[in-house]
Amino acid sequence: MPAKQNGRIAIVASAYNAEYVDGMIEGALEVLTGKVELVRVPGAFEIPVAAAALARRKKLHPAAVICLGVIFRGQTTHAENVGQSVTQQLAALAVETGIPMVHEVLLLENKAQAQARCLQAKTNRGTEAAHTAL
């Protein structure tokens, strides 16, 4: 296990598709008590980079990193490629550092799915991610 953990939870969240990602952040923050470190990145592809920087800090790295993003499938394989890359990098990072990476970078078909998973209180994936991190 790496250097001393501070017991705090970090959230790395995509700014892209902010309407939905912000809903997940709000859900997570309602559950988490104490200090939470929030890092925003441009898109889902950048989430593992920020998560790695947090997890590899020599001092006061988080006890867990919640990763939040929304990717919509389109007519090409781009979204699938991004989703797979993010998943592989977060898994490798968790194994390398021993710090849980709570993966809620959602690959969705449409806005109705995003509303259900990001904006509805009972099914908010940010809320679920916060409970998992705790």
Side-chain angles (χ1 to χ4, degrees):
M1 194 61 126
K4 183 181 176 193
Q5 295 181 7
N6 65 11
R8 295 180 182 168
I9 306 295
I11 298 174
V12 178
S14 169
Y16 199 76
N17 290 317
E19 173 185 356
Y20 303 109
V21 177
D22 289 353
M24 289 194 292
I25 293 170
E26 290 172 16
L29 293 176
E30 287 178 11
V31 172
L32 299 171
T33 58
K35 190 134 178 134
V36 176
E37 185 171 0
L38 176 62
V39 177
R40 295 304 290 259
V41 294
F45 195 72
E46 292 78 26
I47 289 172
V49 175
L54 291 166
R56 292 176 179 148
R57 287 193 300 210
K58 296 293 182 195
K59 295 182 181 179
L60 299 178
H61 57 77
V65 179
I66 297 172
C67 302
L68 304 175
V70 171
I71 304 167
F72 286 110
R73 279 193 170 87
Q75 295 181 4
T76 69
T77 61
H78 179 74
E80 188 74 31
N81 294 338
V82 170
Q84 287 179 0
S85 177
V86 169
T87 298
Q88 290 169 351
Q89 292 302 315
L90 292 178
L93 184 59
V95 170
E96 171 202 328
T97 64
I99 297 174
M101 299 288 142
V102 183
H103 182 344
E104 288 297 341
V105 180
L106 308 177
L107 182 57
L108 304 172
E109 301 296 331
N110 53 51
K111 290 182 179 185
Q113 287 182 349
Q115 288 172 345
R117 288 161 180 80
C118 304
L119 304 178
Q120 302 295 322
K122 288 186 179 182
T123 55
N124 187 303
R125 300 303 295 204
T127 302
E128 292 178 18
H131 285 295
T132 300
L134 291 174

